[in-house]
Amino acid sequence: MSRHEDDEQFRLFVQRQWGPLLRTAYLLTGDRGAAEDLTQSALEKTHRRWGRVLRRDAPEVYVRRAMVNTAISWRRRRRPLEVPLLTSDSAPTTDAYAQVEERQLLLTLLRRLPPRTQAVLVLRYFEDLSEADTAKVLDCSIGSVKSQASRGLARLRNELAPPAPQSPVRLEEELA
């Protein structure tokens, strides 16, 4: 295959996949600008190896793997400069924007998970990849995907669960 044909195939691939890749990048980074940078970076790495990628891997798998690895690398290098709000500071209210606030809370909690767990949840539940496809993207076993997903979902459930109400007897004892 000629270089011109490779470039044309890559251009068509980018046109088809830009939206889904950008969505994955946003879920991994939590920031639109960083998501665009991550997508560009992963596509650049893919373009350099495009001929080999077409012969060996599915391009979507290769790009997503590059995105996950790059996002993890960036996350290790960059420590967040902003201080996250306490859960009590961002408690959702019962107004017309409750669904948006709940989604934002979920995304905030997702970004607090370890990078590999975050990547598994994004690929499995936001990108709707199977366990096998997720394992292929992350270059790990299906069992690892299952355990990471299980632990990640448990942590999210724990963070999202409303606090257990105190019994009136225990509350009176604390006030006394």
Side-chain angles (χ1 to χ4, degrees), residues 3-175:
R3 180 73 178 155
H4 177 70
E5 290 171 333
D6 279 354
D7 285 346
E8 182 60 21
Q9 277 190 332
F10 183 75
R11 188 184 66 75
L12 292 173
F13 171 77
V14 171
Q15 279 182 331
R16 279 191 325 271
Q17 294 296 318
W18 179 259
L21 291 173
L22 186 61
R23 181 181 61 234
T24 300
Y26 178 78
L27 292 167
L28 291 171
T29 63
D31 178 75
R32 173 93 179 168
E36 290 173 354
D37 290 346
L38 178 59
T39 305
Q40 288 283 346
S41 179
L43 287 170
E44 178 186 2
K45 291 174 183 177
T46 303
H47 185 258
R48 282 188 247 144
R49 294 170 180 83
W50 185 248
R52 282 183 276 163
V53 169
L54 287 177
R55 286 190 302 274
R56 298 175 72 195
D57 288 328
E60 295 86 0
V61 171
Y62 187 90
V63 174
R64 282 200 171 90
R65 185 178 299 150
M67 289 172 68
V68 168
N69 290 340
T70 303
I72 290 171
S73 173
W74 287 0
R75 192 166 167 186
R76 285 182 184 144
R77 263 187 276 148
R78 297 179 188 161
R79 295 293 175 214
L81 299 175
E82 55 193 58
V83 177
L85 295 174
L86 297 172
T87 305
S88 61
D89 292 342
S90 60
T93 60
T94 56
D95 61 15
Y97 300 102
Q99 185 178 6
V100 173
E101 290 175 355
E102 286 176 7
R103 184 173 183 87
Q104 188 60 43
L105 177 60
L106 175 62
L107 291 173
T108 299
L109 295 173
L110 182 67
R111 284 191 292 275
R112 289 184 190 163
L113 295 174
R116 290 293 278 193
T117 303
Q118 180 183 0
V120 166
L121 293 180
V122 166
L123 295 172
R124 281 284 293 129
Y125 300 106
F126 288 91
E127 292 300 317
D128 203 27
L129 295 182
S130 68
E131 290 168 342
D133 289 341
T134 301
K136 191 173 183 181
V137 169
L138 297 175
D139 197 25
C140 64
S141 70
I142 293 174
S144 179
V145 169
K146 289 178 180 181
S147 66
Q148 290 279 341
S150 176
R151 278 188 238 121
L153 290 173
R155 265 182 80 178
L156 290 176
R157 276 189 209 104
N158 187 39
E159 291 286 333
L160 290 171
Q166 284 190 326
S167 69
V169 174
R170 183 181 276 164
L171 186 58
E172 288 175 6
E173 289 172 359
E174 286 183 12
L175 293 175

